[in-house]
Amino acid sequence: MTEVLRHDVVIVGGGAAGLRAAIAAVEADPGISVALVSKVYPMRSHTVSAEGGAAAVARDDDSFEMHGYDTVKGSDFLGDQDVIQYFVEQAPPELTRLEHWGCPWSRNADGTVATRAFGGMTTKRTWYAADKVGFHMLHTLFQHSMRFDRIVRYDEQFVTKLLVEDGAVRGVAALDIRQGEVRAILGRAVILATGGAGKCFPFTTNGNIKTGDGMALAYREGVALKDMEFVQYHPTGLPGTGILITEATRGEGGRLFNARGERFLETKPEYGVGSKLELGPRDMISRAIFQEIRAGNGIQGTFGEYVHLDLTHLGRELLEKRLPFVLELARTYAGVDPVTQPIPIRPVVHYMMGGVDTDIDGATELAGLYAVGECAAHSMNGANRLGSNSLTECLVFGARAGRHAVGHAKDSGDGSEDPLRRQVEEEAARIDGLRGRAKGSEKLTQVRDEMTQAMESGCGVYREQASMRSATETLAQLRRRCADVALEDRSRVFNTEIVAALELVNMIDVAETVAVAALQRRESRGAHACSEFPGRNDREFLHHSLVYYEPAGPRFDKKDVALGRWEPEERKY
Ligand SMILES: Cc1cc2nc3c(=O)[nH]c(=O)nc-3n(C[C@H](O)[C@H](O)[C@H](O)COP(=O)(O)OP(=O)(O)OC[C@H]3O[C@@H](n4cnc5c(N)ncnc54)[C@H](O)[C@@H]3O)c2cc1C
């Protein structure tokens, strides 16, 4: 007999966005009960690994106007300006609230909150707690969430399906990874906060759990994924592992050099970063490094070519105080000591600008379904996110979606349980069928490798029409091959092979939307650099892209950008 659990609001994801939404929901109504479902223990969510900081206006020389303009320009004018306006205004109270809950922001000598420079921001507005910001933020949110016994946690439960009945979402089907049962967790509103999908690519800063699950869940229920072609490459990852060396290194004054010892962002104005140099936006700096390597100015290493990030002029004292984690990472994983040696770095897949199409409240076109954090596209980041905007985004829109989901849950009825129970029974049978499906002829790791390779060659830093088209074809084939993957583990307890198989299908769905959307955008904007169409083309492409799931293959559509305050102009720094 299928176990059915009932709450008012179900939140999928225990990272910054999910936890903030949960707290906002229970604070909005003392009677509300929230299920917080997460495939890992919440403190293991990817938020924990964020290093550099969270953006919000804090200084006298800053303003909402400046933060808003920087974000719109960073987005290459594809960010929705009403959403950005709300974001910049809510950012300072959200970060202050986090301090009241215990987040130890670093301070200036006079006791005010310390802020550091970040790429594409005109002044220092990135709040930090040394270079372990994600750890401190997530810890604060997690601890604070424990004050509310109405937030009921379901850890290590993998959501495999949204339960939809009569045109509205009614809950989720969740596989208990610890025991192998599939349960119904019902709620009158569901908030997806499942994070990004960097693992669709072979070389990424993202943890293994970032497989785009929430995006795929919404997509398969007919909700559009928006602006998926915009995949952010972070300029500074360690070769081999892809471990992130935070942008705070450049915020504190780090410089980039090629094999000839040339500070190429300074000597080559064609890279477009102007006087910002290393503090230019991520898309432009990643392209510059890529071009240096292509031009033969890279340094050859065991894991391919790279360039140097030099911090040696900053001195031991500053590095130990402000960037202790970077010292540890570089010493442990690159075998260099940044106090005296440059760090080898190369661009690496980092963040999805696109995600589940939502409005400013986080609401999707499916009644009762909300999305927040990296899995959502409220249209704040457009074609390129500015570093340190994303952690704040999780708080600002997590809180807003939490409150709105409560409003929706209070206004909706429970509906009948039987059809939902049947959906979960079918889901349980499907997953049971995967367990030990040894007769398949495909290997999971092989299909996964072919997917990540197709994404790198089709949807990398620079994209070409032919390689994008070939990626869409490969992905369509891989989706079919996925159905024939052999699975050997028959156990019910911690069957990680089944989880990996479910994640693979999710990644292929998400990857396909990236490739399809990229192929449609015949221009270059933000993170989407198309070799055949090197310029931005506002006349034809100043719109969001939408990809819908259809059994026969993805369907493409578009949506207007909310302009108003700032007119699109050439993006120069
Ligand atoms: C190394 C690194 C450093 C970064 N540094 C910064 C920074 O300094 N500043 C900044 O602004 N941004 C930074 N970012 C980006 C930022 O950290 C993320 O975008 C943000 O933390 C995402 O939070 P989230 O809550 O949306 O998702 P996550 O923190 O990724 O959490 C996702 C949650 O969803 C759950 N989940 C996923 N799928 C399922 C499923 N099927 N069933 C059940 N649960 C599921 C997971 O268990 C997890 O709890 C960084 C990112 C990385 C990778």
Side-chain angles (χ1 to χ4, degrees):
M1 186 71 177
T2 307
E3 190 179 355
V4 178
L5 302 151
R6 266 193 187 281
H7 295 273
D8 299 300
V9 177
V10 179
I11 299 177
V12 188
L19 284 167
R20 185 66 190 92
I23 295 167
V26 290
E27 281 183 342
D29 185 323
I32 217 93
S33 124
V34 171
L36 188 82
V37 192
S38 175
K39 68 177 175 179
V40 296
Y41 190 73
M43 273 306 295
R44 300 191 60 204
S45 305
H46 188 74
T47 298
V48 80
S49 63
E51 299 170 25
V57 170
R59 290 157 51 109
D60 292 342
D61 69 351
D62 202 359
S63 66
F64 295 150
E65 169 78 16
M66 285 159 70
H67 192 186
Y69 176 67
D70 287 350
T71 304
V72 169
K73 183 173 171 184
S75 80
D76 220 345
F77 296 90
L78 211 70
D80 281 359
Q81 297 186 8
D82 52 343
V83 173
I84 291 171
Q85 187 70 39
Y86 179 77
F87 165 74
V88 297
E89 287 171 9
Q90 293 303 312
E94 276 297 329
L95 294 193
T96 306
R97 187 168 297 121
L98 219 59
E99 165 146 300
H100 296 164
W101 293 347
C103 188
W105 298 122
S106 294
R107 321 298 293 199
N108 295 313
D110 65 0
T112 51
V113 168
T115 47
R116 60 169 43 126
F118 244 66
M121 305 271 193
T122 35
T123 185
K124 292 184 176 178
R125 68 165 71 96
T126 299
W127 305 32
Y128 58 95
D131 56 357
K132 297 181 183 166
V133 179
F135 171 82
H136 288 299
M137 286 180 64
L138 192 60
H139 212 262
T140 302
L141 288 163
F142 186 49
Q143 298 257 329
H144 193 73
S145 76
M146 286 196 220
R147 296 176 55 166
F148 303 94
D149 55 8
R150 286 171 296 118
I151 299 177
V152 181
R153 287 213 334 267
Y154 297 94
D155 297 341
E156 297 178 323
Q157 312 278 320
F158 187 102
V159 171
T160 63
K161 189 181 182 342
L162 297 177
L163 305 177
V164 178
E165 192 60 27
D166 288 336
V169 71
R170 299 275 174 199
V172 302
L175 166 68
D176 182 344
I177 303 172
R178 293 185 278 207
Q179 286 166 1
E181 308 300 328
V182 177
R183 297 195 183 91
I185 306 179
L186 303 187
R188 294 188 301 281
V190 173
I191 304 178
L192 295 171
T194 51
K199 291 307 280 186
C200 293
F201 288 79
F203 187 63
T204 172
T205 62
N206 285 193
N208 273 340
I209 57 174
K210 295 194 72 173
T211 51
D213 300 351
M215 298 179 192
L217 290 172
Y219 179 59
R220 290 199 287 262
E221 298 303 332
V223 178
L225 298 188
K226 180 165 64 189
D227 294 341
M228 292 302 286
E229 63 272 41
F230 301 109
V231 176
Q232 179 160 80
Y233 276 75
H234 195 294
T236 60
L238 293 181
T241 56
I243 289 173
L244 178 75
I245 298 299
T246 168
E247 189 161 305
T249 51
R250 285 172 286 131
E252 298 294 346
R255 299 170 183 161
L256 294 169
F257 293 94
N258 65 18
R260 298 169 204 278
E262 186 186 358
R263 195 175 170 195
F264 49 91
L265 294 171
E266 189 175 53
T267 55
K268 298 181 184 166
E270 62 270 28
Y271 291 143
V273 290
S275 59
K276 282 203 165 301
L277 301 178
E278 282 81 3
L279 285 174
R282 291 178 176 176
D283 53 343
M284 290 184 173
I285 297 186
S286 291
R287 283 196 286 274
I289 298 173
F290 200 79
Q291 290 206 30
E292 285 297 309
I293 292 175
R294 254 192 195 167
N297 296 331
I299 304 153
Q300 190 62 51
T302 319
F303 304 105
E305 288 179 76
Y306 59 82
V307 298
H308 275 145
L309 170 64
D310 185 26
L311 310 179
T312 55
H313 56 290
L314 299 177
R316 179 184 297 277
E317 197 187 336
L318 182 141
L319 294 178
E320 284 179 350
K321 184 160 170 237
R322 304 238 184 108
L323 300 167
F325 195 40
V326 168
L327 295 184
E328 190 184 321
L329 291 173
R331 286 169 184 156
T332 312
Y333 297 101
V336 300
D337 184 353
V339 176
T340 55
Q341 295 167 292
I343 310 172
I345 56 91
R346 56 159 277 197
V348 51
V349 167
H350 185 56
Y351 181 87
M352 307 296 285
M353 266 71 76
V356 179
D357 175 27
T358 76
D359 66 10
I360 193 170
D361 302 329
T364 71
E365 54 197 300
L366 175 60
L369 184 68
Y370 295 76
V372 283
E374 194 173 338
C375 82
H378 310 288
S379 293
M380 197 193 108
N381 300 305
N384 175 64
R385 167 183 76 104
L386 292 187
S388 75
N389 263 355
S390 145
L391 288 171
T392 315
E393 176 188 349
C394 288
L395 301 177
V396 169
F397 293 102
R400 184 163 175 150
R403 292 190 291 268
H404 279 267
V406 168
H408 180 90
K410 289 207 295 198
D411 291 342
S412 324
D414 273 335
S416 159
E417 201 174 287
D418 287 343
L420 305 176
R421 192 185 286 274
R422 270 198 301 281
Q423 286 186 34
V424 176
E425 279 162 7
E426 278 168 24
E427 192 61 2
R430 180 178 80 88
I431 290 168
D432 241 9
L434 292 176
R435 195 172 277 115
R437 185 182 67 184
K439 60 179 185 314
S441 60
E442 297 282 354
K443 276 183 85 148
L444 195 151
T445 47
Q446 174 73 25
V447 175
R448 193 167 58 200
D449 286 352
E450 286 184 37
M451 171 198 64
T452 61
Q453 291 308 330
M455 290 308 281
E456 176 153 274
S457 57
C459 301
V461 173
Y462 283 97
R463 296 151 174 203
E464 279 154 15
Q465 294 289 305
S467 53
M468 281 186 274
R469 194 164 298 114
S470 131
T472 58
E473 286 157 12
T474 307
L475 289 162
Q477 285 163 12
L478 289 174
R479 183 210 280 260
R480 287 193 285 277
R481 284 171 56 190
C482 233
D484 201 25
V485 161
L487 299 170
E488 287 162 11
D489 187 353
R490 298 200 55 79
S491 61
R492 299 185 73 78
V493 175
F494 275 100
N495 188 330
T496 51
E497 193 189 36
I498 284 201
V499 172
L502 294 166
E503 287 174 339
L504 177 60
V505 177
N506 292 341
M507 283 191 285
I508 290 179
D509 277 349
V510 170
E512 206 174 7
T513 66
V514 173
V516 165
L519 194 57
Q520 299 285 335
R521 190 169 283 280
R522 295 157 80 85
E523 63 159 356
S524 289
R525 182 189 298 270
H528 176 70
C530 183
S531 303
E532 291 93 339
F533 304 96
R536 197 178 86 194
N537 176 353
D538 284 345
R539 202 171 44 79
E540 285 181 86
F541 292 101
L542 185 60
H543 59 68
H544 299 294
S545 60
L546 299 177
V547 182
Y548 285 94
Y549 175 82
E550 299 280 347
R555 176 169 65 81
F556 183 80
D557 206 347
K558 43 194 170 180
K559 187 172 183 175
D560 289 343
V561 177
L563 301 168
R565 173 73 192 80
W566 295 281
E567 281 304 308
E569 60 188 28
E570 192 189 347
R571 183 162 164 250
K572 278 199 305 224
Y573 287 92

